[in-house]
Structures are given as structure tokens and as C-alpha cells.
Amino acid sequence: MSDKTFYVTTPIYYPNDKLHIGHTYTTTAADTIVKFKELQGYQTELITGSDEHGQKIAQTAAKHDQEPLEYVDGIVDTFKLLWDKLEVDYTEFVRTTSEEHKLDVQQIFKKVYDQGDIYNDKYQGYYCTPCETFWKERQLDEENNCPDCNREVEWMEEESYFFKMSKYEEQLLDFIEEHPDFIQPAKRRNEMINFIKDGLEDLCVSRTTFDWGIPVPVDDDHVIYVWFDALTSYLTGIDFRRNEEKFNKFWPADIHIVGKDILRFHTVIWPAILMAADLPLPKQVFGHGFLLVEGGKMSKSKGNVIDPVKLIDDFGVDAVRYYLLREIAFGSDGSYSTESFIQRINADLANDLGNLLNRTVAMVDKYFDGQISAATVETEFDQELEQVAQESLAAVAENIEQLQFSTALEELWVLIRRTNKYIDQTEPWVLAKDETKRDKLGTVLYNLLDNLRRIAIVLVPFMPQAPAKIWEQLGIVTDLTEQSWDDALTKGQLEAGTKVNSGEPIFPRIDLEEYYEQLEEVEEEEGKMSEQDYINFEQFGKLDLRVAEVLEAEKIEGSDKLLKVQVDLGAEERQLVAGISKHYAPEELVGKRIVMVANLEPATIFGVKSNGMILAASNDEGDLTITTVDRDIAAGAQVK
Ligand code: MSP
């Protein structure tokens, strides 16, 4: 294995709620660049995790009547499930509540404190809890809200530790100047430079009004500010303090991938902390754009949150990852819509790629009984096809390097479409009619299959399942995971003589209308469930269910269904009417402890007063059984 290394991080997500498609976008991008680097022979690390401390999480847990750790445990499980479904190969999942992480954060804090870069003072200013950000009055928006998320801020006055961020202003500006790739995309670089040039203030790095956080190592009354804590997870993930060799091998990180909303934390606060801690700065921070729905932000209140798990269940992981990376230029905002999703999948995956595979394998079946021929002659189109392949693959690599996934895929599709065109140019169905052109026909099919082999390798970073399915249909038995980028670049590695396995289309066409109809049906079903089948706890609490002992029972004259029953309800006796005469003889009931509804409105049935109802189960075949209790419990006991 080569000793080239590549270390990528995703943000560590707040476990205050389940993740949506926007978070999935960030992680898919990170996983893709890492898988690409692996193909190129790098040793890689991909770190993700959960940002579990701070005021926001403490408040959310309280709303759910849970302890913070208990609350986040449940949500963190859903994160891991999502990453598994998305087939993300992360090397470490950092939970900020882990003991290792706590010690890492405390060590960095202590180091910076010991050298005099952290001091005690009083904070006066505003705080945005959703963003976990401190703001000065002059920074608020026109409505005096958070300038980032435009939500309400709260006034805060508390004793705090401060990090001397101002001290690093010049050093940071120099670094950004000397490392033009540090902040990407370039358009966001100037924004950050201007922010720093506006003047860096010292940063409040501890809180005292709640205790859900890592204690300040020199003062137990304070917990460390959640962003100081969270950013340090990038060190925890590669065994800072615990494995010096590994840490030195991977630090500094090659890329921190983040959304544009948190670029400032990563290009101002984080580098300043690292400078103070005497650690090298990451090579690059990439702030991508936002995934919008109907042109706006996703939010629970708007009801437009797209659930990635449902999307993967409905369309498969390959389609979801492909769409996210192809549809939106990484760095710019873009909109999700079901229409554009289905259109993309149909046009690019079902048509261009799926058909290329289907047509080719079907022709090998038809003309060569499934056996792959060797390429023995040349056609007049081969050179150009290979030239397009080389140019396309070079452009794919270059664009992935720049995290321009959409352009990378567009470039790959140039090759896919060109390969489709090769079929139209060479007209295998015409060659097949002429026995003297058999070698040429074999060569054409070989070239098509070999290009599909290469295309599948290139797709490995983007899609976890389709490449192996393509190889399976090509009849290749070599393990795809052992392939390298060079194998994609090299023509002619497909072995002649083996047999193809034609199979189902790897990307069946999706019918938009059918999909909508299906959705409507599901929604209708769910609607029925919620209207008819659910009651809330309060409603349930209104039912007074009790155990009662049958004292006497007798038939009601004139009715073959009804029995008059006297029961002991503990504190009182009751009379009720029960429609069970066809199933129980009166004497059979006496002494039984049954369950009854004690607070049902009284009624008179067949002239007999009924004050309550015996519960019984019945089925369509006419069987009936009354509900009894299977242990000794006094009459009158409540059932709940
Ligand atoms: N916990 C912090 C990150 C700490 S990293 C040391 C945080 N968490 S978050 O869960 O709110 O957001 C995580 C990431 O998801 C951010 O990069 C954010 O930009 C991204 N996204 C959240 N919604 C998004 C979209 N709608 N579209 C694209 N990315 C989005 O911030």
C-alpha cells in the first residue's frame, strides 16, 4: 500500500433531530472524495460524528422530558442507520460525549490556558441558541435577530473564560493569503477575509448557566463552549493523544467539508485555536451550498423536510447519491424536487447508462451466445472512442479533486453517451448479417463491454451498488474493490472468452405519475390510521377500565342474546346487560373476574338498567370470549 494519505471530515451533526437530505448531501460528498482517493491508492480516513453538548441539545432533551444523554443516544442511532443505508465508509464516528473526546478537548483548552491565551472575564451580549453563536448588538440583523439564521437571540450576562482570538488576527490573514486553497470555493474566501479584517474579538469559550458540556479543566463551575468542543472532534477522530503515529500521519486534515453556514467557525475560530495549540492548520475547508426545497429552507414547520431514508427506500442508494452529486454544483445552492429527481434518474441512469449495458449484453447473448470475443481488428471509430475515454476520465479525476462532483459526472456521461453512439456508428446488427465481418462484430462488442468495465470502476466513489451489478452482468469475477483508478484508465483489461450474465435493468425507469399515486395511497392509509386508529393518551385516560367479579347472571326474558349480570366492583355492586347469552350460560359466568368499562353512560336495554359494559373479543366466525384476568387481583382494580 502506498504511503500517501488523505483525511476528510464531515461536520459532526447536532443530534437534536433526525437528519434530513441536506445533511445527507454533505456526507455523500465527503464519502465520494474519500472513495476516489482510495481508488487512487491513498490511505484514507473519513471522520463523522455527533455534536452532543450545549444549550440547544440540553433544551431539546428537556422538552422531551429526557436526560440529554438518554435523548441523544436514540438520535445518534438514527444517524448511524442513515450512514449505513447510504453506504458511507466512515472510519470513525466521534461522539463528543465520549471519554476520549472529553480528555482531548480538556487538554487543548488547558494548553491554551496555560500559555495565557484564555482568561476569565464577564460576557455581555446576545446568544443564538440554534446556531450556538455569540453576537454583539451591532452584528444583529435589522430586526435584532441572529444575522445567520434570523431567529430570536437572547441577552446573556455571565462570567466566562475568553480565548484571545484577536491575538491571531494577523497570523490568520497571512495564512489565508499564503494558502489560496485554504478556503474554498474562492467566492467565499473574500467573505471570510472581510470578516477577519473587520476585527476579531476575543471569543467566549465557557458557559455557566447550564452544565451539559465538558467541564473547564481549571474551573468546575464552567462547561466548555460547544463549538470549541465540537471542532476538536477532528483531532479525536484520528486518535489525538492516544496514537501519536496515526495522528501525525493524518493531521493536518486534507479537507473539512462543511456547509456555508458554518464556514466561519472553520476558517476563523478553528484555525485560531489550532494556532494557539501549536498544531498545523487543515489544508482546506470547503463550504458547500444549501439544498433547498421549493426555493427555501427545509423546516418542520413548513412540512417540507425531505427524509433521506424514505428516498433511499423508494429509489435506492445509488439514485439518491447520484442525484445529490449531479444535480447541484458543489458550492452553490440548489433545489430538490421529486420531479427533477425522477427526471435525472430516468434520463441519466435508466436511459444512458442502463440501456448501454442492456443493449450491449443482449447483443453478446444474441450474436455470440453470451461469450465475450477478443478484439482482433480495428474499426474506424475506435481511436476516437479511446480518445474520448482518455479525455473524459482525465476530466472526471480533475473535477473530483476540485470537489466539482456535478461536472465530474457530466464528464463521465460524455463517455457513456459517446459509447452509446459507438453502437449507432458501428451498427452491430448490420455486421451480424455478414459472416465475413464476424471479427469486427466481436471487436465492437468487446470495446463496448470494456468501456462498461471502466465506467463501472469510475462510478465506484459515487455509487455503492451499481458498479458491482455492472461487473456481474459483464461476467467479471475479479473483485471490484481491488481495482484502481489506473485500471479504469487502461483499455483492454476485460478477459475474452468469459460469459456475460444478462440480468434485470440496473435502473428501471420510474413513472412519475405512478409514484405520486403510490404516495397518495400511502398517505391515505396513514391518514386513516391517524384518524381512526389512534387516540391520544389523554383520551385513553378517560376510560375507566376495572376488574369486576360476577356475582349473579340470568337470561333476560324475550331476548336470546342478553344476560342481566350483577358484578362486584370493589367499592360497589353494579348491574349491567351483556350480549353474550349465545356464548355463555349464566352459571358459567358466576365467580369469573372480568374486565369492564366502569364509566360508560348508563342505558336501559330491554327494560333492564345497564351501568357499565363487559369487554369481550369476537371474530368474523362468530366466536366470542369475555376478557378475564389471569391472576388473583381484587375486584375494583383499575386496568390501564
Ligand atoms: N454541529 C454543527 C457542526 C459542528 S462541526 C465541528 C452543526 N451541525 S448541523 O447538524 O446543524 O449541521 C451540519 C451540517 O449540515 C452543516 O454543514 C450544515 O451546513 C449542513 N446542512 C444543514 N442543512 C443543510 C441543507 N439544507 N443543505 C446542505 N447542507 C445543510 O452545524
Side-chain angles (χ1 to χ4, degrees), residues 11-14 20 22-23 51 227 234 259 261-262 288 290-291:
I12 55 167
Y13 302 93
Y14 287 126
H20 58 57
H23 308 110
D51 189 355
W227 270 100
Y234 299 145
D261 56 329
I262 57 171
H288 65 69
F290 258 57
L291 200 65

Side-chain angles (χ1 to χ4, degrees), residues 281-302:
L281 267 50
K283 292 179 200 156
Q284 184 172 110
V285 182
F286 196 107
H288 65 69
F290 258 57
L291 200 65
L292 308 171
V293 173
E294 291 139 14
K297 273 198 172 179
M298 270 174 274
S299 78
K300 264 194 166 172
S301 54
K302 282 195 219 158

Side-chain angles (χ1 to χ4, degrees), residues 385-399 407-416 418 455 458 485 489:
L385 180 66
E386 183 52 19
Q387 197 187 335
V388 171
Q390 290 303 333
E391 283 168 9
S392 145
L393 299 187
V396 173
E398 202 181 302
N399 278 286
T407 320
L409 287 168
E410 217 178 312
E411 292 290 350
L412 178 61
W413 255 251
V414 169
L415 175 60
I416 292 173
R418 182 65 189 78
I455 289 162
V458 178
W485 188 253
L489 294 180

